[in-house]
Amino acid sequence: MAAPSQPQKATYDVIVIGAGIQGSFTAYHLAQCHKDTLLLEQFPLPHSRGSSHGQSRIIRSAYPQEYYSRMMPDSFRLWKQLEAETGTTLYRQTGLVLLGPPGEPELEGCRKSLGIDKFLDAAALAQRYPGFRLQAGQVAVVDESAGVLFADRALRAVQEVFRRHGGTLRDGEKVLRIEPGATVTVTTTAGVYKAPRIIITAGAWTGAFVEQLGLRLPLQPLRIDVCYWREKQPGSANLGSVSPCFLTLGLSQAPHGIYGLPSIEYPGLMKVCHHHGSPTDPEKRDQDPSSAARPDISVLSSFISSYLPGLETKPAVMETCLYTNTPDEDFILDRHPKFSNIVIGAGFSGHGFKLAPMVGKLLCELSLGKEPSHDMSHFAISRFPNVLGAAQ
């Protein structure tokens, strides 16, 4: 259902382009700072064309990089705040099993971020979660705080609070042109808007927008297969009364990692996905590729037969999602190097949803010239060489 019709006007304090979870949280924070904010979305809401749809995402405290693990307590707090503001449950605590070979640097980083002294071996993990079968010599650590975010519900909730604070959400309006200046002009399929500040959070479409502005960011949209696998017998996966999520790190057969979530979307089906995909054009991602173009399925089938023997090895349901990756898989949260009143949030690389409350706050702070709540050095555009060209 499209966003309720709101009176159209031409001038705002801030315009946010892209109403996925990052743009919606950015607009939410701007509205709470009493900024008259326009949030634009090219597709009628709700839609499944981007990176924010679906019913579930993992939230976790464990991160190998300290600059993300430091942001997670604030993210958890802001998710709880949104739950309180809307009277809606957005998070289910399930725990998260992180598994891989001993000595794997990212797994070691996650252990340290959790403040846990020891890993679990195969026998200890099987005692706790009989459905997991670690391979010989592999180890695991459990993030007790982790769980599942209800993604679709979360997106609706943050947009509801944004509108409640006076924000304007216009969906089904594609941005055609951005003209920089002291006042930025944004032309859409339905109107022309002006604001002294804009924020671009357009997911896989961000690269095309910033190219108009003379910026070539190394953003690669990927088409991700989101797969659901049936239990051989109801309850046979035997992962405990509340199944945990899981994430692999450093497995040779899946160097990009495999993750899984308990049965939420479809009863009796576990969501298990490869944290990688095929390069795609976001305008064409719904074209169904041949099975030969889906190597991730064989990687997942092999993993499931070895590690999750209670599941069938052919996916029962397959859906798609988009990632937009940077070369280092760190986010881009920065001002345009030439136009300081244009802020860009992009390249969330398949791990941004859980951090969206803090990402939105940081983008809001950047746009308003406030001191950022966290160190932004890892998210700077300047880490990429030769990105500036001529504006079109």
Side-chain angles (χ1 to χ4, degrees):
M1 180 177 154
S5 180
Q6 293 172 295
Q8 188 163 354
K9 64 175 200 168
T11 305
Y12 293 85
D13 294 334
V14 192
I15 297 170
V16 179
I17 299 171
I21 196 66
Q22 311 296 349
S24 295
F25 259 115
T26 302
Y28 161 98
H29 285 292
L30 288 162
Q32 294 199 332
C33 290
H34 310 291
K35 297 300 174 187
D36 186 11
T37 304
L38 172 63
L39 177 59
L40 291 169
E41 171 55 48
Q42 65 174 322
F43 299 115
L45 292 169
H47 69 81
S48 58
R49 299 289 303 277
S51 305
S52 297
H53 64 281
Q55 292 185 48
S56 60
R57 297 290 190 282
I58 294 173
I59 184 169
R60 56 187 162 106
S61 297
Y63 249 107
Q65 302 92 345
E66 204 174 327
Y67 45 95
Y68 290 119
S69 64
R70 282 179 179 163
M71 290 165 67
M72 282 312 306
D74 286 336
S75 278
F76 271 104
R77 178 181 56 78
L78 288 165
W79 280 117
K80 286 188 174 116
Q81 179 179 305
L82 182 61
E83 284 186 318
E85 287 171 319
T86 57
T88 308
T89 300
L90 302 176
Y91 159 69
R92 179 190 297 170
Q93 188 172 355
T94 63
L96 169 73
V97 176
L98 299 118
L99 57 100
E104 205 290 318
E106 289 205 326
L107 189 58
E108 187 64 31
C110 287
R111 182 191 66 77
K112 286 180 179 170
S113 77
L114 294 169
I116 292 172
D117 293 332
K118 294 181 181 175
F119 288 108
L120 301 175
D121 61 13
L125 187 67
Q127 190 171 8
R128 184 163 179 181
Y129 300 118
F132 272 113
R133 186 181 289 167
L134 280 187
Q135 305 305 290
Q138 292 179 346
V139 294
V141 65
V142 178
D143 178 349
E144 303 285 0
S145 69
V148 176
L149 287 168
F150 303 123
D152 283 343
R153 198 186 296 176
L155 187 61
R156 287 194 303 272
V158 70
Q159 290 171 354
E160 175 196 323
V161 176
F162 166 65
R163 285 197 296 258
R164 200 191 295 164
H165 282 81
T168 302
L169 170 57
R170 299 189 65 83
D171 64 343
E173 275 199 47
K174 186 172 184 173
V175 172
L176 303 174
R177 191 165 61 255
I178 300 167
E179 298 166 60
T183 298
V184 184
T185 302
V186 177
T187 303
T188 74
T189 48
V192 178
Y193 308 99
K194 293 178 184 289
R197 306 173 189 87
I198 73 163
I199 301 171
I200 301 172
T201 50
W205 287 264
T206 299
F209 279 132
V210 299
E211 269 188 39
Q212 291 181 31
L213 303 168
L215 197 55
R216 288 186 296 271
L217 294 179
L219 296 170
Q220 177 60 67
L222 298 176
R223 182 188 191 279
I224 306 298
D225 291 319
V226 181
C227 303
Y228 300 83
W229 310 76
R230 193 180 309 280
E231 294 179 340
K232 288 177 178 173
Q233 311 237 330
S236 67
N238 198 16
L239 295 172
S241 56
V242 178
S243 299
C245 303
F246 74 85
L247 176 64
T248 74
L249 296 163
L251 295 186
S252 57
Q253 66 267 48
H256 298 285
I258 290 171
Y259 65 92
L261 296 87
S263 300
I264 290 176
E265 281 97 328
Y266 305 107
L269 302 185
M270 189 170 182
K271 181 177 178 178
V272 182
C273 308
H274 194 201
H275 191 60
H276 194 58
S278 309
T280 192
D281 177 341
E283 296 291 348
K284 299 175 182 172
R285 65 71 76 89
D286 290 329
Q287 295 176 3
D288 192 38
S290 68
S291 57
R294 298 182 115 148
D296 299 321
I297 305 304
S298 59
V299 169
L300 291 169
S301 295
S302 173
F303 173 85
I304 283 167
S305 65
S306 298
Y307 289 81
L308 295 165
L311 298 180
E312 293 180 357
T313 55
K314 279 191 173 179
V317 176
M318 289 180 59
E319 298 170 348
T320 60
C321 186
L322 285 177
Y323 286 5
T324 306
N325 281 31
T326 60
D328 56 13
E329 298 190 5
D330 282 332
F331 308 160
I332 293 171
L333 310 174
D334 204 353
R335 296 183 182 89
H336 190 294
K338 193 171 172 188
F339 309 115
S340 62
N341 58 346
I342 297 177
V343 167
I344 299 157
F348 296 102
S349 303
H351 66 109
F353 200 101
K354 71 184 84 61
L355 283 154
M358 268 316 301
V359 165
K361 186 172 183 183
L362 290 167
L363 291 172
C364 170
E365 290 166 345
L366 271 178
S367 184
L368 301 182
K370 296 184 175 182
E371 183 69 26
S373 301
H374 288 271
D375 175 19
M376 301 290 279
S377 59
H378 295 279
F379 311 127
I381 289 171
S382 60
R383 72 186 194 268
F384 303 116
N386 307 318
V387 295
L388 262 180
Q392 295 174 9

